[in-house]
Amino acid sequence: EAGVAQSPRYKIIEKRQSVAFWCNPISGHATLYWYQQILGQGPKLLIQFQNNGVVDDSQLPKDRFSAERLKGVDSTLKIQPAKLEDSAVYLCASSLLADVGNTQYFGPGTRLTVL
Amino acid sequence: AQTVTQSQPEMSVQEAETVTLSCTYDTSESDYYLFWYKQPPSRQMILVIRQEAYKQQNATENRFSVNFQKAAKSFSLKISDSQLGDAAMYFCAYKGETSGSRLTFGEGTQLTVNP
């Protein structure tokens, strides 16, 4: 079974530029998550989708971050414009369902460096 | 809000020996799950072990086991017969009934395995 796929693996941009990350969850997984992991910290949830609807985006900086999951499968996370403090690893995860007992499986992440 | 604390930023162990990583959490919920994830330099979060709060029996997965003390809100990970491949950052994580499927992570413990 293929795992969660993410691209690109690395991205370097200048501040105020835009960037987008792509995630393909495990086949059949209805729930998709984007986490931000700043160096030296644990991941923090940015947004959660159930199929193509947003369940939780309470910690997403909506003035600059956006995400979509149009067909309930792949998802894209965008930052526009980027700030220095956005330098982090962006992890995508998926689970079969959204209930508390479901395990989340993570992708390899995208390391973003903002100069 | 739920919090997860890992008080050991770094730990080291000799190959073939046993090491215990500590984790404490704070919650008022009765139904929740606890997890240990491993993050090697490749950045992929790999599930090591999970524990349901309503189960008194400690979870075990091969060389990995937990000591779950519900009253003390403690959830430590024991790695037996440590191997070089166990070297990684280890994160303790919490998921509760009222937080949906959001994972709350600790700050992580960097484990070094010495040959």
Side-chain angles (χ1 to χ4, degrees):
Chain A
E1 178 182 87
V4 177
Q6 289 187 248
S7 68
R9 292 297 310 276
Y10 304 90
K11 190 72 177 179
I12 301 173
I13 61 172
E14 302 275 340
K15 62 182 179 183
R16 292 188 289 274
Q17 285 187 325
S18 301
V19 65
F21 313 125
W22 173 82
C23 172
N24 179 245
I26 293 173
S27 178
H29 280 198
T31 313
L32 186 146
Y33 314 79
W34 284 102
Y35 288 85
Q36 180 192 56
Q37 185 180 18
I38 294 172
L39 185 65
Q41 299 181 18
K44 181 187 75 174
L45 180 71
L46 290 175
I47 189 168
Q48 175 189 341
F49 291 94
Q50 180 68 22
N51 295 310
N52 60 352
V54 175
V55 174
D56 182 354
D57 63 357
S58 58
Q59 298 190 90
L60 186 74
K62 299 180 185 62
D63 57 332
R64 298 183 299 106
F65 286 65
S66 65
E68 59 183 13
R69 193 184 184 200
L70 292 176
K71 297 183 179 179
V73 181
D74 293 4
S75 177
T76 303
L77 177 69
K78 296 179 181 178
I79 308 175
Q80 181 180 11
K83 292 185 175 181
L84 296 177
E85 58 261 36
D86 298 332
S87 293
V89 175
Y90 291 84
L91 296 166
C92 180
S94 70
S95 63
L96 190 60
L97 297 171
D99 64 278
V100 66
N102 262 254
T103 296
Q104 294 181 24
Y105 298 91
F106 286 80
T110 297
R111 181 182 295 279
L112 173 66
T113 302
V114 182
L115 302 175
Chain B
Q2 294 77 28
T3 59
V4 177
T5 302
Q6 294 178 249
S7 59
Q8 307 155 315
E10 298 177 347
M11 290 284 284
S12 63
V13 63
Q14 290 297 125
E15 196 174 3
E17 294 190 347
T18 296
V19 64
T20 298
L21 308 183
S22 301
C23 173
T24 59
Y25 59 95
D26 186 27
T27 185
S28 57
E29 297 177 316
S30 57
D31 183 19
Y32 55 89
Y33 288 73
L34 296 162
F35 304 82
W36 279 98
Y37 279 90
K38 167 185 177 182
Q39 188 178 42
S42 66
R43 302 196 304 271
Q44 180 128 23
M45 284 281 198
I46 302 165
L47 178 66
V48 174
I49 199 165
R50 58 179 264 165
Q51 174 80 42
E52 294 91 331
Y54 63 86
K55 288 189 176 179
Q56 292 186 332
Q57 186 173 5
N58 289 324
T60 299
E61 289 287 344
N62 300 313
R63 298 183 294 107
F64 299 87
S65 61
V66 298
N67 184 4
F68 174 47
Q69 301 290 327
K70 191 173 183 178
K73 296 180 181 174
S74 171
F75 182 62
S76 60
L77 174 70
K78 185 172 81 171
I79 305 174
S80 304
D81 186 24
S82 297
Q83 300 175 0
L84 295 178
D86 295 334
M89 183 71 86
Y90 285 80
F91 289 96
C92 178
Y94 170 100
K95 185 162 61 161
E97 56 185 341
T98 60
S99 55
S101 45
R102 171 201 302 257
L103 276 169
T104 299
F105 286 87
E107 296 295 303
T109 296
Q110 181 67 50
L111 177 66
T112 301
V113 181
N114 301 309

